[in-house]
Amino acid sequence: NAGVTQTPKFRILKIGQSMTLQCTQDMNHNYMYWYRQDPGMGLKLIYYSVGAGITDKGEVPNGYNVSRSTTEDFPLRLELAAPSQTSVYFCASSDFAGSSNSPLHFGNGTRLTVT
Amino acid sequence: AQKITQTQPGMFVQEKEAVTLDCTYDTSDPSYGLFWYKQPSSGEMIFLIYQGSYDQQNATEGRYSLNFQKARKSANLVISASQLGDSAMYFCAMREGSRGSYIPTFGRGTSLIVHP
């Protein structure tokens, strides 16, 4: 059972470089999310998607972009990386059945360092 | 204002004892769900337990139970018979039903250390 798969696990970027964090899920979930986790700050939502072709901003979207061309894939793009984007990034997905009780299934995270 | 508040940055417990991790929430939505996740030092996020706002009984999953006090807006996680493997970060999260677009928000977490 693959669940939510994120790649890469680790990455070091130089300031100004760009990269794409990949996320794919095989559970046919409608909802997908990108969170970043900074020490002592919990998880903050970057972007989310409620289905293929639909994306929306979360709490901290600046400096990021996403796309959702298929149900399975939800890549996160960092343009012009900055040290403030050093963080651990989590992709997650959940089913949506018109209620609030679907837990998030998380990928294993990507540890990104921008120097 | 924070929707999820976890006031205990760190907690310590002796092995085999019970421990309660606090979580209070803020919402005006009558339909919502509360979740607890565990994050061990390896970094993955593990779903532990769920409580719905309309559930009449407190949720239980093995050694985990949720002390749900709706009027106080609290959803504390109780871990019974702590084990060394319970040492981890624990996050409380809420997902609002009818008004919150089903987007979960997380607390800042509580670090639990279990002593032998």
Side-chain angles (χ1 to χ4, degrees):
Chain A
N1 295 334
V4 179
T5 303
Q6 278 183 248
T7 56
K9 291 185 178 180
F10 303 94
R11 183 71 186 266
I12 299 174
L13 281 181
K14 294 189 183 301
I15 295 171
Q17 287 185 323
S18 300
M19 75 164 295
T20 299
L21 281 65
Q22 301 291 345
C23 176
T24 187
Q25 52 94 7
D26 62 359
M27 297 171 283
N28 201 33
H29 284 169
N30 291 318
Y31 276 58
M32 294 189 75
Y33 314 82
W34 276 105
Y35 287 91
R36 60 177 286 172
Q37 183 181 24
D38 300 309
M41 299 301 292
L43 279 74
K44 292 192 180 296
L45 184 67
I46 304 171
Y47 271 95
Y48 68 99
S49 168
V50 302
I54 306 169
T55 63
D56 210 343
K57 296 178 180 179
E59 185 181 359
V60 289
N62 291 345
Y64 308 95
N65 273 300
V66 294
S67 60
R68 184 96 182 270
S69 57
T70 66
T71 298
E72 295 78 19
D73 299 310
F74 190 42
L76 177 71
R77 177 83 178 161
L78 279 71
E79 305 281 1
L80 299 174
S84 61
Q85 293 178 304
T86 294
S87 188
V88 179
Y89 292 84
F90 285 98
C91 179
S93 73
S94 69
D95 197 1
F96 172 59
S99 66
S100 60
N101 67 350
S102 300
L104 268 63
H105 299 258
F106 282 88
N108 286 335
T110 296
R111 185 174 295 275
L112 175 68
T113 302
V114 182
T115 61
Chain B
Q2 282 198 349
K3 288 193 173 184
I4 295 286
T5 302
Q6 295 181 254
T7 57
Q8 307 155 313
M11 290 285 286
F12 298 86
V13 67
Q14 201 78 23
E15 194 178 8
K16 300 181 185 177
E17 292 185 347
V19 63
T20 298
L21 306 184
D22 294 342
C23 173
T24 58
Y25 60 92
D26 182 25
T27 182
S28 58
D29 194 324
S31 174
Y32 54 90
L34 296 155
F35 305 82
W36 277 92
Y37 289 85
K38 173 185 179 181
Q39 186 179 41
S41 58
S42 51
E44 70 269 31
M45 296 286 285
I46 303 166
F47 166 66
L48 295 177
I49 196 167
Y50 164 81
Q51 179 83 44
S53 59
Y54 295 119
D55 293 344
Q56 295 297 313
Q57 294 188 335
N58 288 343
T60 60
E61 289 287 346
R63 293 186 298 110
Y64 304 109
S65 61
L66 205 152
N67 184 2
F68 182 45
Q69 299 188 45
K70 197 169 182 177
R72 293 187 175 186
K73 294 188 176 179
S74 74
N76 299 338
L77 177 70
V78 180
I79 305 175
S80 63
S82 298
Q83 302 173 354
L84 296 179
D86 293 334
S87 295
M89 284 291 292
Y90 289 82
F91 292 94
C92 180
M94 176 175 65
R95 193 177 196 181
E96 292 163 292
S98 56
R99 301 175 196 166
S101 300
Y102 301 92
I103 304 303
T105 54
F106 286 79
R108 295 189 175 191
T110 295
S111 173
L112 175 66
I113 296 176
V114 180
H115 288 299

